[in-house]
Amino acid sequence: MIDFCRRTLGGKNTITATPASPVSQASAATPSALPPMQVIGRDQHSISRKDISPSALKVLYRLKDAGFEAYLVGGCIRDLLLGLKPKDFDVVTNARPEEVKQVFRNCRLIGRRFRLAHVVFGREVIEVATFRGHHSGVEEDDNASKIASLSDHGQILRDNVYGTIEEDAERRDFTVNALYYSIKDFAIYDFANGVQSIAARRIELIGDPETRYREDPVRMLRAIRFATKLNMQIAPESAADIPQLAVLLKNIPAPRLFDELVKMWLSGKGFDNFMLMRELNILKQLVPQLEKLLKQEPEGKAFQLITRALQDTDQRVASDKPVTPAFIFAAMLWYPVEVRAQTLLIESGLNENDAFGIAMTEILDDIQRTIAIPKRFSLAMRDIWFLQSRLSKRAGRRAFKLMEQSKFRGAYDFLVLRVAAEGGELQELARWWEQFQYSDESERLALIQQLGKAGIDSPKRRRTYKRKRNVSGNNEHHG
């Protein structure tokens, strides 16, 4: 990879600014914010068609044969140059979505903000986008395709604006993503010195950072995720505006924010992403319930619980074990729920179970306004939280019944994390459950008997009251 970057960035014989290339010349008269486009020939880069999904190749060739331009674009090119295996392959073309649908019978059109074509090959989906163009801001009959809808904050709400490949490159978010692989000549077209950014291991926005973040605040999350995923640094000029503009993330639809955060926390780099989000003031905007506790105790039990949960999840991802966002969100909001429950106990005089139940509902309702956690995960979070109190009630058949619960293992794992964050009496409780899980029937009964002998969790005997006899022999109720 180092040799490739040296060859690519080395001199005039390697990279050439291309006055005549397979790309469109339609925007030649429009001043560009990009540096001169560079062409990296087939013999000057390491990408082979063997590394590309056969389905993506089918899409590229069929679009080319139908008379359209077609390129692989963005992250798949970046990852292949870094020697990584791309998660998916995206295609960009000058064909409109309806024209793509005419070429492929196995195609469906999706999206309102920006219309996309999905070409389906069994379980694999190749996303095909039309070149995006610049917004004219003037609604005229001959310029109707150049109109987009912006919010008062500068956020793009509707973006079906089509253009040329040069305009599309300017509309890309980061320099490392403005890379195009042509199926015509197998060359890479670099519109923003993306290869140079890869060599320098730098995540850098294309254009003015404030404008680009306002157009789509999620780019702040993407900058963090790319930096940790690719082991790169966010360029100082691209990072400087994030703390002040992070509040714009509140304008993003709650379901989209959930999807983005799942990528952040279940990517295998969850801990690194969390720490960078906290540093750049993003966590405060998305999970203020947690940030409030972290501000009071920067490295207290709330910090210990969530960071250990993220580190554990990162290890599971690395070992290809299943992970769930319910566990991460449960760790993030456990202590906010606990604090709210204590407040309700003091202020309202509720019993512990009722106070805890109300606190769970309040905290979940609050977070849903920003992050739309699907019900299947919020219910799992409730189960994990509720089982924490039941784990201490082990007498009689309770321990056996508890192990039959579908969320028992998640609740136990959560208890182990709480031990790491809090210590104290929880250590003995976690040790007992560890023994109980891996013992046979007789050993489990012995463990429960030992609890009784030690006076731990012994069942309370119900008090019985004798009815007072009526000495006079008359009825108790007098007329």
Side-chain angles (χ1 to χ4, degrees):
M1 180 60 205
I2 293 174
D3 291 340
F4 161 71
C5 290
R6 285 174 179 167
R7 291 199 311 271
T8 304
L9 303 172
K12 297 179 181 178
N13 294 331
T14 306
I15 298 179
T16 57
T18 308
S21 69
V23 301
S24 168
Q25 299 298 314
S27 64
T30 304
S32 174
L34 298 175
M37 188 267 291
Q38 298 173 325
V39 180
I40 304 168
R42 173 64 190 92
D43 59 342
Q44 298 163 342
H45 66 74
S46 58
I47 295 178
S48 167
R49 276 170 288 175
K50 295 178 182 178
D51 303 322
I52 300 172
S53 159
S55 299
L57 289 174
K58 287 179 184 177
V59 172
L60 292 170
Y61 278 117
R62 198 177 300 178
L63 284 171
K64 180 179 76 72
D65 293 342
F68 298 108
E69 295 179 50
Y71 303 83
L72 285 179
V73 66
C76 59
I77 307 302
R78 176 200 68 216
D79 290 350
L80 287 172
L81 291 178
L82 285 166
L84 303 174
K85 184 178 180 179
K87 184 178 178 182
D88 45 40
F89 291 85
D90 293 335
V91 172
V92 69
T93 178
N94 61 345
R96 298 292 177 91
E98 295 76 14
E99 293 173 322
V100 176
K101 189 171 177 62
Q102 290 176 358
V103 175
F104 298 95
R105 288 186 299 175
N106 53 328
C107 174
R108 60 173 182 256
L109 302 184
I110 66 161
R112 292 183 180 180
R113 181 172 173 268
F114 187 73
R115 203 99 168 114
L116 296 168
H118 277 183
V119 184
V120 182
F121 297 88
R123 299 181 67 178
E124 185 178 10
V125 176
I126 304 299
E127 186 171 279
V128 182
T130 304
F131 294 144
R132 288 175 292 179
H134 296 302
H135 313 133
S136 68
V138 179
E139 193 165 3
E140 299 174 359
D141 291 341
D142 62 346
N143 207 28
S145 66
K146 295 292 185 180
I147 300 300
S149 174
L150 302 179
S151 73
D152 294 338
H153 302 286
Q155 181 181 341
I156 297 175
L157 302 177
R158 189 177 65 254
D159 195 22
N160 291 310
V161 179
Y162 305 127
T164 64
I165 189 173
E166 292 87 354
E167 291 175 313
D168 187 82
E170 288 192 45
R171 292 289 310 280
R172 296 279 154 184
D173 47 10
F174 303 104
T175 58
V176 295
N177 290 340
L179 298 168
Y180 297 72
Y181 174 87
S182 172
I183 199 61
K184 281 188 177 180
D185 57 6
F186 315 118
I188 295 174
Y189 293 84
D190 184 352
F191 286 88
N193 290 332
V195 172
Q196 185 175 338
S197 294
I198 289 174
R201 310 203 73 81
R202 184 176 65 247
I203 301 297
E204 186 174 6
L205 274 167
I206 296 172
D208 174 59
E210 181 176 353
T211 301
R212 303 313 302 277
Y213 287 141
R214 286 187 179 278
E215 286 177 351
D216 185 1
V218 167
R219 285 174 179 148
M220 291 181 269
L221 297 178
R222 285 168 60 83
I224 292 172
R225 183 159 56 86
F226 288 149
T228 58
K229 172 188 174 181
L230 304 173
N231 193 26
M232 294 182 177
Q233 297 291 322
I234 303 176
E237 59 274 17
S238 296
D241 290 325
I242 292 179
Q244 291 72 38
L245 298 178
V247 67
L248 296 176
L249 285 164
K250 292 183 177 180
N251 299 326
I252 298 299
R256 187 182 178 203
L257 269 184
F258 173 79
D259 291 339
E260 291 296 331
L261 289 177
V262 167
K263 294 176 188 176
M264 300 286 284
W265 293 334
L266 302 185
S267 63
K269 294 285 186 177
F271 173 77
D272 294 338
N273 287 331
F274 175 82
M275 296 301 287
L276 200 46
M277 288 170 68
R278 190 180 176 194
E279 179 184 334
L280 294 173
N281 200 39
I282 285 178
L283 190 67
K284 177 182 177 181
Q285 308 302 332
L286 301 184
V287 196
Q289 304 90 337
L290 174 63
E291 180 63 22
K292 182 179 179 181
L293 297 180
L294 294 179
K295 188 175 181 180
Q296 295 171 358
E297 293 184 273
E299 296 189 5
K301 59 184 183 181
F303 175 80
Q304 295 296 330
L305 182 64
I306 182 55
T307 53
R308 288 176 184 274
L310 288 166
Q311 288 169 336
D312 180 66
T313 300
D314 289 345
Q315 291 175 3
R316 292 183 66 85
V317 171
S319 302
D320 201 25
K321 294 180 179 179
V323 293
T324 172
F327 197 79
I328 297 299
F329 280 105
M332 287 193 165
L333 298 175
W334 166 254
Y335 290 114
V337 168
E338 194 177 66
V339 169
R340 181 58 185 152
Q342 290 299 319
T343 302
L344 288 170
L345 275 172
I346 296 170
E347 293 180 350
S348 64
L350 294 167
N351 63 51
E352 288 187 7
N353 282 341
D354 289 345
F356 193 72
I358 293 172
M360 285 194 295
T361 299
E362 288 185 358
I363 294 297
L364 284 172
D365 287 348
D366 194 23
I367 196 73
Q368 291 285 0
R369 297 186 184 98
T370 306
I371 305 166
I373 303 173
K375 194 171 183 178
R376 66 184 183 277
F377 297 128
S378 63
L379 288 176
M381 292 164 62
R382 283 177 175 273
D383 288 340
I384 290 172
W385 289 338
F386 183 66
L387 287 174
Q388 295 308 296
S389 62
R390 291 189 61 189
L391 285 170
S392 61
K393 298 175 175 62
R394 299 160 283 173
R397 301 296 300 177
R398 288 174 176 174
F400 291 96
K401 290 180 179 179
L402 199 53
M403 279 191 61
E404 295 173 1
Q405 296 282 335
S406 61
K407 294 296 185 292
F408 167 78
R409 184 65 199 188
Y412 168 74
D413 290 342
F414 195 81
L415 173 65
V416 172
L417 289 182
R418 288 178 59 207
V419 169
E422 298 179 40
E425 296 178 357
L426 292 178
Q427 290 179 317
E428 180 56 38
L429 180 62
R431 270 197 297 268
W432 189 92
W433 274 110
E434 184 179 14
Q435 284 182 282
F436 191 81
Q437 288 179 78
Y438 300 108
S439 297
D440 59 28
E441 185 79 7
S442 60
E443 290 171 334
R444 288 176 178 177
L445 290 171
L447 284 169
I448 293 173
Q449 289 173 356
Q450 289 171 12
L451 292 175
K453 292 177 182 178
I456 299 173
D457 191 32
S458 54
K460 294 180 180 178
R461 296 182 60 185
R462 296 180 63 183
R463 294 182 63 184
T464 57
Y465 297 89
K466 291 184 178 180
R467 179 176 293 181
K468 203 170 184 178
R469 293 184 63 186
N470 192 332
V471 177
S472 65
N474 296 327
N475 292 333
E476 293 182 9
H477 298 286
H478 299 277

